[in-house]
């Protein structure tokens, strides 16, 4: 039972990290600009002003990063619901393969989003990757670990 609680807590942690990485505006930072996958916040005076990213970056790459981040969140949330459902429907000895597959797809989506962002955007810019970008890579590791755990895990009792 303790292992099951640990897995659920790890899964919820991965979902929260994915959501924060997708929503928060800190993928790329400078002293006066904060950029995420949705827009850019520029500091002018003492106020932050939102500007759209379209036109600043190659739109097809930007859409891939956005889709990867959103799909990673969706597949991770679905994976949790499927895992809970499989707890009640699987017979003894079966594996949580479908939950594992959903988590590995989530892992793949966040990896694609973060790696394209790393390779395509901000190559020549002065600045640093923000906490949302780092959370995306941490989420990649967590979703991969969860995917492997779910594929290996067997239901022990009815």
């Amino acid at each position: 039972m303790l292992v099951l609680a640990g897995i659920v807590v790890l899964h919820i942690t991965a979902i929260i990290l994915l959501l924060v990485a997708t929503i928060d505006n800190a993928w790329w930072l400078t002293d006066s600009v904060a950029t995420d996958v949705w827009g850019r916040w520029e500091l002018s005076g003492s106020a932050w002003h939102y500007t759209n990213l379209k036109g600043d970056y190659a739109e097809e790459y930007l859409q891939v990063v956005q889709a990867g981040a959103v799909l990673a969140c969706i597949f991770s949330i679905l994976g949790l619901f499927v895992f809970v459902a499989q707890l009640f429907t699987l017979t003894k000895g079966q594996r949580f393969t479908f939950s594992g597959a959903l988590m590995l797809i989530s892992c793949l989506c966040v990896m694609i989003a973060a790696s394209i962002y790393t390779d395509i955007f901000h190559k020549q810019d002065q600045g640093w990757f923000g906490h949302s970008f780092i959370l995306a890579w941490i989420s990649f590791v967590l979703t991969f670990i969860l995917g492997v755990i779910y594929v290996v895990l067997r239901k022990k009792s009815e």
Side-chain angles (χ1 to χ4, degrees), residues 30-137:
T30 66
D31 292 329
S32 61
V33 175
T35 306
D36 64 2
V37 296
W38 308 106
R40 175 185 314 211
W41 292 89
E42 296 176 359
L43 181 64
S44 74
S46 61
W48 289 91
H49 299 285
Y50 176 80
T51 58
N52 202 348
L53 286 178
K54 298 207 186 293
D56 293 339
Y57 304 112
E59 192 168 335
E60 57 274 359
Y61 290 118
L62 181 61
Q63 288 176 351
V64 170
V65 173
Q66 291 170 342
V70 170
L71 286 173
C73 293
I74 291 170
F75 282 121
S76 186
I77 292 168
L78 280 174
L80 180 62
F81 287 127
V82 168
F83 175 66
V84 170
Q86 284 181 324
L87 281 175
F88 297 107
T89 59
L90 284 179
T91 59
K92 184 177 177 179
Q94 288 187 328
R95 296 186 187 270
F96 295 89
T97 309
F98 190 52
S99 298
L102 287 172
M103 288 310 295
L104 291 174
I105 291 170
S106 175
C107 169
L108 181 67
C109 289
V110 73
M111 181 197 66
I112 289 171
S115 60
I116 287 176
Y117 195 87
T118 304
D119 185 47
I120 301 298
F121 303 115
H122 309 293
K123 281 187 170 180
Q124 307 302 326
D125 296 346
Q126 294 293 324
W128 57 92
F129 290 109
H131 65 270
S132 295
F133 178 79
I134 295 166
L135 289 178
W137 280 111

Side-chain angles (χ1 to χ4, degrees), residues 140-158:
F140 161 72
V141 173
L142 289 179
T143 54
F144 179 75
I145 290 170
L146 279 167
V148 171
I149 287 173
Y150 286 147
V151 169
V152 172
L153 188 66
R154 288 181 183 265
K155 186 170 181 185
K156 296 263 186 203
S157 62
E158 297 273 80

